[in-house]
Amino acid sequence: MERLRVTGLTYLGGHPRHPRLIEGLRLDVALAGLSVGRPLRGLISVSWPSLTWLYVLTVGDVEGKAHSWEFLNFPNLNRAWEAGDAASVIGLGIDDATCWLLAPQTPVRELRTRLASWTLGAAGAQRKPGTGDADTPEQVALQAIAVSRAADLGREPLTDRKTLSYRLAVAEQHRRGGDLLSALTLLQQLATQAVETFGATDQATIVTRNNLAFALAAGGFRHEAIEAYWEILDDLAAARIVDQTKAEMFARQNLARLHDPHWHP
């Protein structure tokens, strides 16, 4: 599987061993991990298991949330970024530090799509055909009944957080019991209702959306899970919410895991 290469990057800082701005770098994404540097000189290298979290955000989102991160408000950002440039800011969590990179003239959506496409291709190239037995007609019928019940529960009005917590618990029971289809059916409806009732960035809603993304990942819907986690981070950033530390950490940690081509549910 060929590696993914992103060129023309600027290192903004964040890693204690490299405090200064460095231009003209490239990011190589390969089966073994990620590396940042120049053709004959490496700057940072991290294996997939050692990548603790992943960010790909707009400059505006980073500037709006920088005060909530211990990065001195990104002192090198204004020196490397020209206003109006649709750039992306990449954050690579390594140990207890984060390597921050600027990708000029590379919109966030484009970079995220390239990363996800590479991961899906790399993961697919390593996947072996399954040899499991097909479900019996009786199992198919029981599954259809379980999904129908989950759908009926999910269609009931959502009026308070206590009801939301109860349904989240039911979905989790389904997931832990191996009935991912019922869990996803309930969580997808529940996430929509929670957004409509409490708002997209309400703490209870974020928990629901995180649970949905996690269930998608567990069910093997890697691309959908990646998209769901990016949407959570985007909504939190757009709302300038800084008190969702656990939710953000959960999302960015799982994004790193989901982009690892060796990961499997």
Side-chain angles (χ1 to χ4, degrees):
M1 181 69 189
E2 294 184 1
R3 67 184 59 203
L4 169 66
R5 176 165 291 170
V6 184
T7 59
L9 302 182
T10 298
Y11 171 73
L12 298 175
H15 200 283
R17 295 200 305 270
H18 307 285
R20 62 187 181 87
L21 183 147
I22 306 174
E23 298 178 316
L25 302 175
R26 71 186 190 192
L27 168 67
D28 283 330
V29 184
L31 289 175
L34 304 93
S35 60
V36 179
R38 294 191 177 98
L40 299 178
R41 183 180 179 183
L43 179 70
I44 293 171
S45 180
V46 56
S47 66
W48 284 110
S50 300
L51 184 69
T52 53
W53 58 71
L54 174 67
Y55 269 123
V56 179
L57 301 175
T58 68
V59 173
D61 286 340
V62 169
E63 287 183 323
K65 293 181 68 61
H67 65 281
S68 69
W69 292 328
E70 296 179 1
F71 188 27
L72 302 178
N73 293 328
F74 295 80
N76 293 323
L77 183 57
N78 290 333
R79 293 169 53 194
W81 176 66
E82 295 183 7
D85 178 17
S88 299
V89 176
I90 306 168
L92 304 177
I94 306 172
D95 298 325
D96 294 328
T98 305
C99 168
W100 293 102
L101 304 163
L102 179 71
Q105 301 179 1
T106 306
V108 164
R109 174 55 59 182
E110 175 187 328
L111 184 52
R112 290 178 181 175
T113 299
R114 291 179 64 189
L115 285 170
S117 296
W118 180 87
T119 297
L120 293 172
Q126 300 179 85
R127 188 178 299 119
K128 296 180 179 179
T131 57
D133 296 331
D135 291 339
T136 65
E138 291 78 9
Q139 291 173 319
V140 172
L142 289 173
Q143 178 67 79
I145 293 172
V147 171
S148 178
R149 288 174 176 171
D152 288 341
L153 179 60
R155 281 191 289 266
E156 294 179 5
L158 179 65
T159 56
D160 54 65
R161 288 175 174 79
K162 185 176 180 179
T163 301
L164 178 61
S165 297
Y166 166 72
R167 294 185 193 172
L168 283 175
V170 172
E172 183 64 8
Q173 288 175 355
H174 283 304
R175 188 189 69 81
R176 290 183 178 274
D179 187 2
L180 277 167
L181 190 54
S182 293
L184 285 170
T185 299
L186 180 54
L187 285 169
Q188 286 170 333
Q189 293 172 306
L190 196 55
T192 299
Q193 288 183 319
V195 170
E196 294 173 349
T197 305
F198 308 118
T201 56
D202 178 87
Q203 187 171 3
T205 302
I206 292 296
V207 169
T208 305
R209 296 172 66 186
N210 262 329
N211 284 14
L212 172 58
F214 186 82
L216 286 167
F221 301 98
R222 188 194 294 248
H223 184 262
E224 291 80 0
I226 288 173
E227 288 292 316
Y229 281 125
W230 283 135
E231 288 176 3
I232 290 171
L233 289 178
D234 284 345
D235 286 345
L236 290 173
R240 300 295 187 258
I241 292 178
V242 298
D243 60 350
Q244 294 277 13
T245 304
K246 290 184 178 179
E248 280 200 18
M249 181 70 73
F250 188 82
R252 65 195 190 190
Q253 284 179 338
N254 281 308
L255 278 167
R257 186 173 297 115
L258 286 166
H259 282 84
D260 178 355
H262 306 287
W263 177 88
H264 59 84

